[in-house]
């Protein structure tokens, strides 16, 4: 059951799982067995996805969307919206995962409303990539919150504009700007 669940999470369909067991182990697993195992996984995931967030004391909220192939052997990509937080006690918590056909404002607003409906309080700071739809959604749902561009995304954007040789030479120098002990020292660097 655990192996079936792992295959399902990695994008295998119940038919694919049946084939993997036949080819890899010489054993048969019926589609109904695979289906029961994946339903058990979904039954564990559903309460996590709808849990109360009112006790999570978020300081920094990180939001990002990525696109991944929905199924093995498929080029079709599906958007996965993610929210995780740095909390007052220093722990990192994955808050929510959701599907989004694209990273537009409407998808992000719905995603953020899901979090606030489950009790998430307004964070001190929201960290996001350069997506304008996400920025607009954050302003709508968390009006007045401070927003910061993700340093990883910013670094990637800067390096993408440079020739490869220059990018490899400047990358460590740019990181030193982000790691500066103060704003003034960062400006100097």
């Amino acid at each position: 059951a655990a192996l079936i669940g792992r295959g399902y999470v990695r994008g295998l369909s119940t038919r694919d799982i049946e084939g993997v067991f036949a080819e890899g182990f010489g054993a048969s697993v019926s589609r109904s067995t695979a289906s029961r195992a994946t339903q058990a996984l979904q039954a564990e995931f559903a309460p996590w996805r709808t849990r109360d967030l009112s006790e999570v004391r978020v300081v920094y909220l990180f939001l990002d969307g990525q696109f991944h192939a929905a199924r093995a052997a498929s080029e079709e990509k599906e958007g996965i919206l993610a929210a995780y937080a740095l909390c007052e006690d220093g722990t990192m918590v994955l808050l929510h995962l959701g599907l989004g056909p694209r990273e537009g404002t409407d998808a992000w607003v719905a995603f953020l409303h899901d979090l606030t409906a489950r009790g998430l309080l307004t964070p001190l700071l929201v960290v996001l990539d350069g997506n304008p739809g996400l920025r607009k959604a954050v302003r709508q749902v968390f009006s007045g919150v401070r927003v910061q561009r993700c340093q990883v995304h910013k670094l990637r954007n800067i390096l993408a504009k440079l020739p490869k040789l220059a990018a490899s030479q400047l990358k460590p120098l740019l990181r030193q700007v982000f790691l500066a002990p103060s704003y003034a020292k960062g400006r100097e660097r």
Side-chain angles (χ1 to χ4, degrees):
L3 187 56
I4 291 170
R6 287 176 188 240
Y8 180 74
V9 167
R10 285 178 172 75
L12 296 178
S13 68
T14 53
R15 180 173 286 144
D16 293 333
I17 291 169
E18 182 182 15
V20 166
F21 270 81
E23 291 173 24
F25 303 111
S28 65
V29 172
S30 69
R31 281 186 215 143
S32 60
T33 300
S35 183
R36 278 194 302 277
T38 57
Q39 286 172 356
L41 186 62
Q42 290 171 348
E44 286 180 41
F45 183 60
W48 176 85
R49 237 181 133 240
T50 57
R51 74 195 184 287
D52 179 29
L53 298 174
S54 62
E55 297 300 316
V56 181
R57 299 291 173 231
V58 176
V59 179
Y60 303 137
L61 176 64
F62 297 84
L63 302 170
D64 196 14
Q66 298 181 0
F67 289 83
H68 297 277
R71 292 280 168 212
S74 170
E75 294 299 315
E76 182 182 345
K77 294 192 176 188
E78 191 158 2
I80 300 170
L81 308 180
Y84 62 98
L86 178 63
C87 297
E88 287 177 354
D89 64 3
T91 59
M92 292 292 287
V93 177
L94 180 62
L95 296 173
H96 190 53
L97 294 171
L99 297 177
R102 54 180 222 260
E103 284 192 84
T105 302
D106 293 341
W108 277 113
V109 166
F111 181 87
L112 294 172
H113 278 309
D114 186 335
L115 291 170
T116 57
R118 291 173 26 216
L120 184 72
L121 301 174
T122 301
L124 177 66
L125 177 73
V126 176
V127 180
L128 43 83
D129 61 14
N131 182 306
L134 174 53
R135 185 176 289 273
K136 186 175 178 183
V138 167
R139 279 195 215 115
Q140 284 181 29
V141 177
F142 297 120
S143 64
V145 74
R146 295 180 65 128
V147 175
Q148 177 180 304
R149 179 84 189 276
C150 171
Q151 292 177 0
V152 172
H153 286 92
K154 184 68 174 173
L155 183 61
R156 283 184 198 151
N157 293 144
I158 292 169
L159 295 174
K161 304 272 185 210
L162 300 171
K164 286 189 181 192
L165 179 60
S168 66
Q169 293 170 343
L170 286 176
K171 187 175 183 178
L173 299 173
L174 289 168
R175 285 198 176 158
Q176 290 304 310
V177 172
F178 292 134
L179 296 173
S182 68
Y183 179 77
K185 189 68 173 171
R187 297 275 303 173
E188 179 185 319
R189 288 178 181 176

